[in-house]
Amino acid sequence: MSLGTWDEIRTAFNVARLGTVSGAADALGVHHATVIRHIDSLEARLGVKLFQRHARGYSATEAGRDLLQVAQATDDQFSQLVNRIRGQGDAVSGELVVTSLPALSKRITELLVRFRERHPEVLVRYITGEKLLRLEYGEAHVAIRAGRKPQNPDNVVQPFLAKEVALYASEGYIQRRGRPASDDDLAGHDFVAQDNLSSNAPFLRWLVTTVPPERIVFRASDFGPMIEAIRLGVGMGFLSGWEAGDVPGLVQVIPPRPEWTSPSWIVTHVDLHRTTKVQAFLAFLKEEAKEW
């Protein structure tokens, strides 16, 4: 394939992505006539129409959508390559992208601040949430994931923390509603939990099968509001000992149980695992976590 054809495919990709010739021209830094010429030439070369022209712009035909998928995959691969190259070298510097579940955000944030103090040339990006970032596309350098052991063969997976949780309530809640004497009493109490009740977290699966669904009266997608709701006495909820220790006035209602324990994993992509920056962070993470 000639260089000219690659330019044409890149042009078509941007037209499909943005929907207008002017938008593609701005994105590519070329004249709009160049965009039109590339599209016409590529359609002539392929012998098919890639776009339907209309007053509002260009919309991709079926052939155009096929081309867009191929171009998108190529664009993703280039992004992956760029992130791999950035992760190489002997210096602990450049961008470091770490992702974890929100429940670990306080501890991981504190740890990342201390890591930057040791390596001030690092630019930290910390991304939390339920979405699993794609390490194979360079979306993150290090992921801390909970639940079942990740199975992607292109990833390096190491055991991290076995998070023990207990059931907590505020002193005010206990004064109003009393302390449950056994599991049978839990059906008469209110609970705070994460919004995604289909999560694989062992303690959440136990809760969903133990109490009626209407007793889970407060659900939140973020961990901060969940802790605040427990502190304010909305209901009881599951926390680790170090999470509960950061919140004054909480009472442990039921101590940790083995069936509630949630394992976690440190996950890196095999192509980035041995880079200086990632190895420096992994060593720091494991050392700091010994105090957790």
Side-chain angles (χ1 to χ4, degrees), residues 35-284:
V35 174
I36 295 172
R37 186 173 67 252
H38 282 180
I39 296 300
D40 290 344
S41 174
L42 187 58
E43 288 182 333
R45 189 189 305 272
L46 297 175
V48 296
K49 285 291 183 184
L50 298 173
F51 298 97
Q52 296 290 344
R53 282 77 165 168
H54 49 78
R56 297 184 305 278
Y58 281 40
S59 59
T61 63
E62 183 177 355
R65 289 191 293 272
D66 288 342
L67 180 71
L68 177 61
Q69 289 180 349
V70 173
Q72 180 67 66
T74 303
D75 187 64
D76 286 344
Q77 289 173 347
F78 273 121
S79 297
Q80 176 186 0
L81 176 62
V82 168
N83 277 291
R84 288 178 184 175
I85 292 172
R86 286 175 178 170
Q88 295 171 356
D90 295 329
V92 183
S93 61
E95 187 175 81
L96 174 69
V97 185
V98 178
T99 181
S100 80
L101 291 171
L104 291 174
S105 61
K106 187 176 186 296
R107 287 295 173 100
I108 297 297
T109 299
E110 294 171 348
L111 181 146
L112 286 168
V113 169
R114 291 193 292 273
F115 183 72
R116 270 213 79 252
E117 290 172 351
R118 181 174 298 185
H119 303 287
E121 297 301 314
V122 171
L123 187 158
V124 171
R125 291 180 58 214
Y126 179 37
I127 303 171
T128 63
E130 297 286 339
K131 179 184 176 183
L132 297 182
L133 298 186
R134 299 176 299 176
L135 303 185
E136 66 272 21
Y137 286 116
E139 292 182 347
H141 295 96
V142 180
I144 301 171
R145 294 176 175 166
R148 298 186 182 94
K149 183 178 181 180
Q151 297 298 317
N152 189 325
D154 291 329
N155 290 337
V156 178
V157 180
Q158 303 174 73
F160 188 41
L161 299 173
K163 184 181 179 183
E164 292 186 343
V165 299
L167 192 62
Y168 287 87
S170 70
E171 294 173 351
Y173 180 90
I174 296 297
Q175 290 173 1
R176 294 195 319 272
R177 304 289 297 274
R179 183 192 294 263
S182 68
D183 288 0
D184 292 337
D185 291 342
L186 295 176
H189 283 270
D190 293 333
F191 291 87
V192 174
Q194 63 195 76
D195 191 48
N196 180 17
L197 294 182
S198 61
S199 166
N200 286 323
F203 55 87
L204 188 59
R205 293 201 304 270
W206 180 89
L207 180 65
V208 169
T209 58
T210 301
V211 305
E214 63 270 16
R215 300 319 313 171
I216 305 176
V217 300
F218 190 101
R219 292 158 52 180
S221 60
D222 188 73
F223 198 66
M226 287 172 51
I227 293 181
E228 186 66 5
I230 297 170
R231 185 186 72 82
L232 293 173
V234 176
M236 299 186 289
F238 286 101
L239 298 171
S240 68
W242 54 265
E243 289 162 349
D246 291 336
V247 184
L250 293 189
V251 176
Q252 188 180 98
V253 177
I254 300 178
R257 295 179 178 178
E259 63 266 32
W260 296 344
T261 300
S262 179
S264 62
W265 313 90
I266 303 171
V267 188
T268 53
H269 192 269
V270 65
D271 290 340
L272 291 176
H273 178 72
R274 289 295 175 190
T275 60
T276 303
K277 176 171 55 183
V278 169
Q279 282 296 305
F281 178 70
L282 292 179
F284 187 84

